[in-house]
Amino acid sequence: MFSNILDEIRLLFRKDKESYLCFYKILGFYPRNIEIYQQALLHKSSSVKAKGRLLNNERLEFLGDAILDAVVADIVYKRFEGKREGFLTNTRSKIVQRETLNQIAVKIGLDKLIKYTTRQSSHNSYMCGNAFEALVGAIYLDRGYATCKFFMEERIIKPYLNLEKLSRKEVNFKSKLIEWGQKNKFLIEFNLLEQTVDEQQNPVFETQVVVEQVPAGQGKGYSKKESQQEAAHETLNKIKNDPQFIDTIFAEKAAREQAAAEENPTSTDATDALTAEADTLPVQADEQNPESFDTEVKEETTVTEKYDDVERIIAEAEEAAFQLTEETETDSEETKITT
């Protein structure tokens, strides 16, 4: 409170009062170094040159992503006392995922302040969420960790997020990954790596996702379903954040398609039939029989068209993969764990 009074006094002597007031409405406090906040809203498509280098919000986004993870983990840990690690991790993920951050950014009016080119905006469905992360990075540099936590608790979570309801919301990462693979004609497999037991003799499963024969995410859980969800979640994060992984699976996919074309160049009808059959595969594999994991459905399709705009494909894939659903799955045969 006392700090805000001092900032209000300083504001009387500043020329750009409107900018400070605009940020105050969003943050609940006045910026000390407003240039950092302005940079947080500067998309790379509208970079400016300063001191011999281009300035945009990418570095602040990197910092804000890490700070946001820490702050939300702190809040969730204290809010849900006694809950196990898997529950806390999933709840944090639901808060910090791009779709949620996009919605929050729009609700607080951040989308109207971002500087970007019109052409670029159509290819970046997570621009608002990225700017929100950059804003958190700016808050950390300007005011420190405690203010970041205040901002998330008082300005974001209390007015916009119901943590109890959000924690119960089922986000089916496996279905989203399979949808992404079917849409973009990628081969996706869920492989059981090992089955062990913990100190209480509860079964523990470890699953790895393989995309186009390239190892992707891994996950552990007290059921095969839980380990698959964790592995799918990690894979979706790699699709979103790992350009090298994207390049590798695209290269493997192209090589597979080329080999198939050389092996049977005239079987257009068969190719179309395979593609049509793959597109009608159910999104969810059979989860009811725990022993059916080894016969997991493998999405295997043959592409029938060439894609030239790789950025468009990745943007569409990300949007499909991370769009939240209200699905609730049942798994009567899953191993029950008492926490």
Side-chain angles (χ1 to χ4, degrees):
M1 178 66 72
F2 181 70
S3 176
N4 260 348
I5 293 175
L6 291 178
D7 290 332
E8 288 179 3
I9 295 174
R10 295 191 187 101
L11 185 63
L12 297 174
F13 302 96
R14 298 186 184 277
K15 296 180 180 180
D16 51 346
K17 295 180 182 178
E18 291 186 4
S19 296
Y20 279 87
L21 289 173
C22 184
F23 280 112
Y24 177 81
K25 292 178 181 178
I26 294 175
L27 303 172
F29 56 86
Y30 291 101
R32 290 174 180 168
N33 183 356
I34 197 170
E35 293 180 357
I36 301 178
Y37 295 89
Q38 292 170 339
Q39 183 180 339
L41 302 178
L42 192 62
H43 188 261
K44 65 179 179 180
S45 63
S46 298
S47 301
V48 297
K49 197 167 185 179
K51 298 180 180 179
R53 62 187 181 91
L54 292 177
L55 286 182
N56 54 54
N57 66 359
E58 285 189 324
R59 282 170 54 83
L60 285 172
E61 178 191 338
F62 163 79
L63 177 62
D65 179 49
I67 298 300
L68 190 60
D69 272 350
V71 168
V72 173
D74 190 351
I75 294 171
V76 169
Y77 179 85
K78 293 173 181 176
R79 177 68 66 88
F80 298 102
E81 185 176 352
K83 292 292 185 179
R84 63 185 180 88
E85 179 186 1
F87 173 90
L88 299 177
T89 299
N90 288 335
T91 302
R92 180 186 63 183
S93 297
K94 294 170 189 176
I95 297 173
V96 303
Q97 62 186 340
R98 287 296 190 278
E99 183 66 24
T100 303
L101 298 184
N102 279 346
Q103 295 172 3
I104 290 173
V106 172
K107 288 178 180 179
I108 65 177
L110 204 62
D111 57 319
K112 299 180 178 62
L113 303 177
I114 302 172
K115 295 183 179 180
Y116 60 91
T117 63
T118 304
R119 178 184 63 83
Q120 183 67 30
S121 66
S122 62
H123 294 284
N124 192 341
S125 58
Y126 299 107
M127 182 172 60
C128 293
N130 294 342
F132 182 85
E133 288 183 335
L135 181 68
V136 173
I139 296 172
Y140 176 75
L141 292 178
D142 187 44
R143 293 281 190 139
Y145 177 87
T147 304
C148 288
K149 188 179 177 183
F150 163 83
F151 171 70
M152 284 302 300
E153 284 187 308
E154 302 299 327
R155 308 291 294 187
I156 302 301
I157 291 178
K158 283 187 178 180
Y160 300 116
L161 297 176
N162 184 326
L163 290 188
E164 281 70 23
K165 182 179 178 179
L166 188 65
S167 68
R168 295 191 299 269
K169 188 174 184 179
E170 178 72 19
V171 178
N172 194 334
F173 297 111
K174 181 181 177 181
S175 291
K176 293 305 166 187
L177 180 60
I178 293 176
E179 287 175 11
W180 176 83
Q182 289 179 345
K183 180 176 182 179
N184 295 283
K185 316 304 179 188
F186 280 98
L187 304 183
I188 297 176
E189 302 174 14
F190 290 81
N191 297 330
L192 180 63
L193 297 181
E194 65 176 353
Q195 178 178 341
T196 58
V197 293
D198 62 12
E199 295 178 354
Q200 286 76 40
Q201 300 302 307
N202 295 313
V204 177
F205 301 87
E206 183 171 4
T207 296
Q208 181 173 64
V209 171
V210 177
V211 181
E212 292 291 343
Q213 306 303 313
V214 179
Q218 291 185 213
K220 286 186 177 182
Y222 289 109
S223 67
K224 291 176 182 178
K225 175 183 174 181
E226 186 177 352
S227 68
Q228 291 172 20
Q229 289 286 352
E230 290 295 323
H233 189 193
E234 185 174 321
T235 301
L236 291 172
N237 284 333
K238 287 177 72 69
I239 292 170
K240 175 65 176 71
N241 299 311
D242 191 340
Q244 185 176 356
F245 175 73
I246 287 291
D247 292 341
T248 302
I249 62 175
F250 264 90
E252 291 294 327
K253 174 186 170 187
R256 171 175 60 80
E257 293 167 355
Q258 181 64 28
E262 292 175 354
E263 182 179 348
N264 200 356
T266 59
S267 61
T268 305
D269 294 339
T271 297
D272 291 341
L274 282 173
T275 303
E277 180 182 354
D279 286 339
T280 60
L281 283 174
V283 171
Q284 299 175 1
D286 179 14
E287 297 283 350
Q288 293 188 340
N289 183 4
E291 301 304 323
S292 68
F293 183 88
D294 293 334
T295 59
E296 189 73 33
V297 175
K298 299 180 181 180
E299 286 66 37
E300 184 166 356
T301 63
T302 305
V303 70
T304 59
E305 61 179 315
K306 298 293 183 182
Y307 290 100
D308 295 322
D309 188 355
V310 176
E311 289 187 2
R312 177 179 60 80
I313 296 173
I314 296 175
E316 291 178 356
E318 292 173 348
E319 184 175 0
F322 286 91
Q323 184 176 4
L324 288 176
T325 65
E326 296 290 342
E327 302 172 354
T328 302
E329 296 184 346
T330 60
D331 189 4
S332 59
E333 296 297 323
E334 290 293 337
T335 305
K336 297 183 179 179
I337 304 302
T338 302
T339 58

